[in-house]
Amino acid sequence: MATSPKAQQHHSPPPQVLDQNASAAEGELQDSVQRTCSGACALRAVELLRSPKDAILRDELALRMAGPRMLRWFGERWDAWEAAEGPGKHSYFAGRARVLDELVQEAAAALAARTGDHASAPPGAPVDEASGGGGSEAGGSGGSGDLCVQVVSLGCGMDTRPWRLGGLPAGTAWFDVDQAPVIELKDRFLREAGAELGPSAAASGGGGSGSQQGAEAGAAFTLKCSSYRQVVSDLSQPGLQQQLEAAGFDPALPTLWVLEGLCYYLPLDANARLLADAAAASPPGSRLLATHIPRENLDANRACQPGVSALGGLFTVCIDDVQADGMLGRAGWGDVVVSGDIGEEVVSRFGVESYYPYSLEYSGGRKLGGIEVILQAVRL
């Protein structure tokens, strides 16, 4: 277990450091999608600027995609969190990402083993390299005939795991799925950051031109998976499997479904349909990995008054709702395991604590006993 980082005095980075990590597409951040996406990157990457030596997650690509204004804004809040809770903690969202990084690699390796002896790095392999290396020998241009496992990131947002997870099995196909505005913005941010996308990364229905930008073009961030595709889908509506198959998804291959920070924004019926659709598109033994909120978090968010918190009333369901009435079993999922609070998982795995951004008013500033849990399940 890692030891807690030493307390340090942190100061705002000089403007030239922020400017080096600017996204040309950032503009004035007047667009709500752009603000949300840039903010998600900044929440994971801000401690790289505040405490680079001790950062729990080294997401250099997120740092580049966040842009200087968001990094400054969250840097100021980081200073406030330190003043309120003391130095030496980490970004909650960086900690959550790190826990899920390990779980994704472990699950992908287990699924790959079902299809043969494919080479893969051990689950503890580095997950934060900015470029080079990785479990995939072919990078973004790998042939589909060599694929052994698929990872589908639903509601992917600005997730950068395809460029960060050095322990993915060789032969991993990665599918990023989200609404059109998010996929289009992510594609643009990735290209501006110099990330490898591979040939025809964009799926039908949107998400950029799909032109090749790979290691041969001198990519600053190379893919760690064998193939990468972007898929446009409204996850509150049916049709997911058809949209995935149009992008090259193979329902016969073992698949890991990753739902990070998604389920509690969807209505309960959409959660049920998404669980059933994922199971229907997967062979037995496939895996599900999803984050959920406890009842306390849902109630606190619902209690936020309109006009007091812009983030109040966003959450729709909690883990109890999803587990009620046999929803998972009816959808085709079993062997369900629910973790303790993610903050506790970070302490258990890495020996460090984290700052949860209560000042963002998800809970109206109310301190909670639990923030999120991780649900894991296996396709029956």
Side-chain angles (χ1 to χ4, degrees):
M1 180 180 295
T3 57
S4 299
K6 295 180 180 179
Q8 295 184 4
Q9 292 293 325
H10 306 311
H11 305 281
S12 297
Q16 62 267 28
V17 173
L18 291 170
D19 291 341
Q20 290 171 0
N21 295 291
S23 166
E26 186 187 34
E28 294 301 318
L29 291 175
Q30 295 177 347
D31 177 79
S32 61
V33 173
Q34 193 159 318
R35 285 198 303 272
T36 301
C37 291
S38 296
C41 291
L43 278 168
R44 289 201 310 275
V46 65
E47 69 175 71
L48 269 178
L49 293 179
R50 282 301 191 261
S51 184
K53 181 180 178 181
D54 297 321
I56 194 173
L57 183 79
R58 305 198 66 82
D59 195 341
E60 302 283 353
L61 180 52
L63 189 71
R64 188 79 62 87
M65 293 165 67
R69 289 181 178 83
M70 272 298 174
L71 290 171
R72 286 193 183 97
W73 195 86
F74 278 104
E76 293 171 358
R77 276 136 193 87
W78 180 276
D79 293 340
W81 299 335
E82 276 202 334
E85 300 187 39
K89 295 185 180 182
H90 294 264
S91 163
Y92 170 83
F93 292 97
R96 182 181 77 178
R98 179 75 183 278
V99 171
L100 287 170
D101 283 355
E102 293 198 347
L103 294 176
V104 166
Q105 290 183 118
E106 291 166 4
L111 291 175
R114 292 166 53 89
T115 60
D117 295 326
H118 289 80
S120 64
V127 297
D128 53 16
E129 299 172 21
S131 62
S136 166
E137 297 177 359
S141 56
S144 60
D146 296 327
L147 300 178
C148 65
V149 62
Q150 298 170 134
V151 180
V152 180
S153 179
L154 298 177
C156 63
M158 299 294 111
D159 175 38
T160 60
R161 288 190 178 93
W163 298 269
R164 196 176 74 241
L165 293 190
L168 289 174
T172 298
W174 193 288
F175 297 85
D176 267 351
V177 184
D178 215 316
Q179 298 183 71
V182 177
I183 290 293
E184 290 167 3
L185 184 63
K186 182 172 188 175
D187 185 80
R188 192 171 72 187
F189 278 6
L190 289 169
R191 293 176 189 279
E192 290 170 355
E196 177 185 8
L197 295 178
S200 301
S204 58
S209 65
S211 61
Q212 185 167 353
Q213 180 176 334
E216 69 280 4
F221 300 91
T222 58
L223 284 165
K224 305 299 191 288
C225 50
S226 293
S227 70
Y228 171 74
R229 296 300 300 269
Q230 298 165 341
V231 181
V232 171
S233 179
D234 181 348
L235 296 175
S236 67
Q237 302 297 322
L240 175 62
Q241 182 170 345
Q242 294 89 337
Q243 292 157 343
L244 281 167
E245 289 183 6
F249 176 85
D250 184 352
L253 278 180
T255 301
L256 169 62
W257 301 84
V258 181
L259 294 75
E260 180 183 10
L262 170 67
C263 299
Y264 38 85
Y265 291 104
L266 297 175
L268 189 59
D269 60 344
N271 271 275
R273 180 172 54 248
L274 202 55
L275 288 169
D277 287 350
S282 308
S286 293
R287 304 287 187 92
L288 176 73
L289 183 61
T291 62
H292 286 274
I293 57 173
R295 174 70 63 185
E296 180 188 14
N297 197 341
L298 175 62
D299 290 344
N301 185 256
R302 285 176 169 172
C304 292
Q305 296 297 319
V308 176
S309 170
L311 300 177
L314 289 179
F315 299 159
T316 56
V317 298
C318 67
I319 183 65
D320 297 340
D321 300 322
V322 174
Q323 288 189 287
D325 301 324
M327 178 188 294
L328 286 156
R330 288 198 308 273
W333 298 98
D335 296 336
V336 177
V337 175
V338 178
S339 74
D341 185 70
I342 289 180
E344 296 173 356
E345 288 290 313
V346 172
V347 173
S348 175
R349 286 174 177 262
F350 313 121
V352 297
E353 296 183 87
S354 57
Y355 300 117
Y356 182 73
Y358 286 105
S359 59
L360 298 185
E361 300 295 331
Y362 282 103
S363 63
R366 169 183 161 189
K367 294 294 181 73
L368 303 173
I371 306 299
E372 280 180 287
V373 297
I374 300 171
L375 181 149
Q376 299 183 70
V378 178
R379 173 71 168 94
L380 298 173

